[in-house]
Amino acid sequence: MPLVTRVTDLIGNTPLFELAATETGTRLLLKLEQFNPTGAAKIRMAREMVLDAERRGLLNDGGHIIESTSGNTGLGLAVVAAERGYRFTAVVDHHACKDKLRAMRAMGAELVYVADEGDDSLATSAREDLAEAMAAARDDAYFTEQHNNDANALGYYAVAEELLADLGQVDILLSAVGTGGSLFGTARRLRELGCLPRVIGVEPVGSIAFGGPGGPYWQSGTGTPPGATVGTAVDYSLLDEGVKVADVDAFATTRAVARKVGLLIGGSAGGSVHAALTRLEEFPPGSTVVTIVCDGGEKYLDTVFDDDWMKDRDLLDESAEYEVLQLLDRYTPARRNLVGVP
Ligand SMILES: Cc1ncc(COP(=O)(O)O)c(C=O)c1O
C-alpha cells in the first residue's frame, strides 16, 4: 500500500474471511468492514455524503455538518469533518455505545443528546427531528440525513466492486438493514455489474422495516425502531427476503464466534451471521454467501461481551450460544484441529 496522507485514503479493500463451509461447497464469507478507519463500514458512506454535498454546493468552506447517529455514521463524519475543516454536531441518544460517543468527541465532534442520562432507549425519530430542526435554524449547516440520502448507498458501490474483484461471483448477499445503505448499495452495484445475488436483509426482532410487531431491541446501529420511518435508502425492490433475528441469538452468535474463531464482530453482524449459519444448507450447493460485518466487537466489550450487562437484560443464553458453537464446529472442519499446523 502506498504512503497515504489522509485517514480516508485508508477506507476500503477490506478483507474477506471464510467463517463456514458446508460439505456441498457452500461458503459463508464475512466482509470485515471493521478494517476501515473507525472500525466500521459507515465511514464509506460518511465520506460519500460529504463529497456529494460539496459537489452540490450544500457544504462550503468551514461549514457545519449535522447528523443523527447511533455512532458509526457519526464516527465516519467526525473523521471527514476533521480532515476537511468542518464543524460536526452529532445528535445522539444513550442507547449508543459509549466508546463510539467518546471517540467522536475525541475527534472534535460536538454531541447533543436527545434524552437524559440514564434513559438508554433507542430514540431514532427524536434524534432525526432535532437534527433537522438544528440544521434548519442555521444558514451554514447541512443535515446529511443518512436515511434519505442517495449518497449513503453510493458509498457502498466500492464494496460490490471489491467483492467481484476478490470472488468473481456472489450468490447470496445477506446483511443487516438499518438505513439500508450498505446492503442495498452493494446489491445495486452488483446488479449493475451483471451479478444478481439473492438479497436477504436482516433486522432485529422488534424492528419494523420488514413488518411488525415493533418493540425494543439491543442490536446497535441496525433496524428501524417502532415510531421511526423507513427511509428511501431501504430499497425494497432489491430485496428478495427480509428476516428477523432476536437479540439473544444475535449476541449468542457474536460471543460464540469470538470464542471459537478469535474474531470480534459487532452485535448486528452477530444477527446476520446467525441468519446465515442456521440456513446455510438451504442454499443451493456451492453457493458463495457474503455477509457484511458492519463493525467489530471491540465496541461492545461493555455490553454484548459483558456477562453482567447481558444478564441484567435477560440476554445471556448459554443454550443459544452452544447451538452456534455446534454449527461452527460442523461447518469449520478445517479449523477443528490446528495443533501443529504451521
Ligand atoms: C453496527 C451497525 N450494524 C448495522 C448497521 C446498518 O447499516 P445500514 O445503515 O447501512 O443499513 C449500522 C449502521 O449504522 C451499524 O452501525
Side-chain angles (χ1 to χ4, degrees):
M1 169 170 261
L3 187 67
V4 299
T5 54
R6 297 182 299 190
V7 168
T8 52
D9 292 334
L10 299 169
I11 295 173
N13 292 314
T14 52
L16 278 166
F17 178 79
E18 184 182 295
L19 179 68
T22 68
E23 279 174 5
T24 59
T26 293
R27 300 181 300 160
L28 172 57
L29 307 181
L30 307 185
K31 179 77 169 154
L32 297 180
E33 288 290 295
Q34 65 267 51
F35 281 80
N36 286 303
T38 72
K42 300 221 74 157
I43 192 167
R44 293 183 187 258
M45 59 74 97
R47 173 175 62 179
E48 195 60 41
M49 291 196 304
V50 171
L51 293 180
D52 171 71
E54 288 178 2
R55 281 191 295 264
R56 295 194 292 135
L58 301 169
L59 254 182
N60 297 307
D61 218 9
H64 184 176
I65 300 165
I66 300 181
E67 181 57 285
S68 151
T69 173
S70 64
N72 283 331
T73 301
L75 280 172
L77 285 171
V79 171
V80 180
E83 220 173 60
R84 302 175 87 81
Y86 295 119
R87 182 175 163 195
F88 171 49
T89 302
V91 182
V92 299
D93 54 41
H94 294 285
H95 191 269
C97 154
K98 299 262 177 302
D99 283 344
K100 294 179 191 171
L101 302 176
R102 282 195 284 261
M104 261 188 258
R105 204 182 286 118
M107 290 186 281
E110 298 159 57
L111 304 189
V112 174
Y113 287 86
V114 288
D116 293 330
E117 186 89 49
D119 173 1
D120 55 9
S121 52
L122 178 57
T124 311
S125 60
R127 279 197 265 113
E128 279 162 15
D129 290 349
L130 181 59
E132 188 174 5
M134 284 176 66
R138 290 158 211 243
D139 284 343
D140 67 339
Y142 173 61
F143 175 28
T144 35
E145 207 187 347
Q146 54 175 326
H147 287 269
N148 295 302
N149 187 331
D150 290 346
N152 176 352
L154 268 180
Y156 297 98
Y157 276 27
V159 174
E161 289 155 18
E162 290 166 28
L163 288 174
L164 287 186
D166 288 341
L167 300 168
Q169 173 66 21
V170 176
D171 299 304
I172 289 144
L173 182 66
L174 181 155
S175 213
V177 174
T179 65
S182 51
L183 178 64
F184 297 110
T186 305
R188 189 174 306 133
R189 185 64 180 146
L190 283 173
R191 271 180 170 265
E192 283 175 9
L193 296 171
C195 172
L196 298 154
R198 179 171 178 76
V199 177
I200 303 176
V202 181
E203 68 174 356
V205 170
S207 165
I208 49 108
F210 306 145
Y217 57 86
W218 286 103
Q219 289 165 72
S220 176
T222 186
T224 309
T229 315
V230 178
T232 55
V234 175
D235 186 347
Y236 290 105
S237 73
L238 292 172
L239 184 74
D240 292 301
E241 191 185 342
V243 299
K244 290 175 183 279
V245 177
D247 288 337
V248 164
D249 291 321
F251 296 163
T253 306
T254 305
R255 292 162 61 102
V257 168
R259 278 168 51 194
K260 190 84 213 161
V261 184
L263 180 69
L264 293 178
I265 61 173
S268 70
S272 303
V273 169
H274 188 272
L277 274 180
T278 49
R279 53 192 302 187
L280 211 50
E281 279 168 275
E282 286 172 29
F283 300 134
S287 294
T288 297
V289 184
V290 172
T291 284
I292 300 167
V293 171
C294 292
D295 68 3
E298 290 83 353
K299 291 166 176 167
Y300 308 97
L301 296 175
D302 291 333
T303 55
V304 179
F305 292 105
D306 183 277
D307 287 1
D308 292 332
W309 185 92
M310 291 283 286
K311 274 186 208 147
D312 287 348
R313 288 157 186 82
D314 260 342
L315 294 169
L316 198 63
D317 184 334
E318 279 180 18
S319 63
E321 230 167 291
Y322 180 73
E323 274 171 36
V324 180
L325 287 169
Q326 296 283 95
L327 284 172
L328 289 170
D329 257 344
R330 171 146 35 117
Y331 294 137
T332 54
R335 275 199 294 273
R336 232 174 257 158
N337 186 4
L338 286 180
V339 178
V341 175

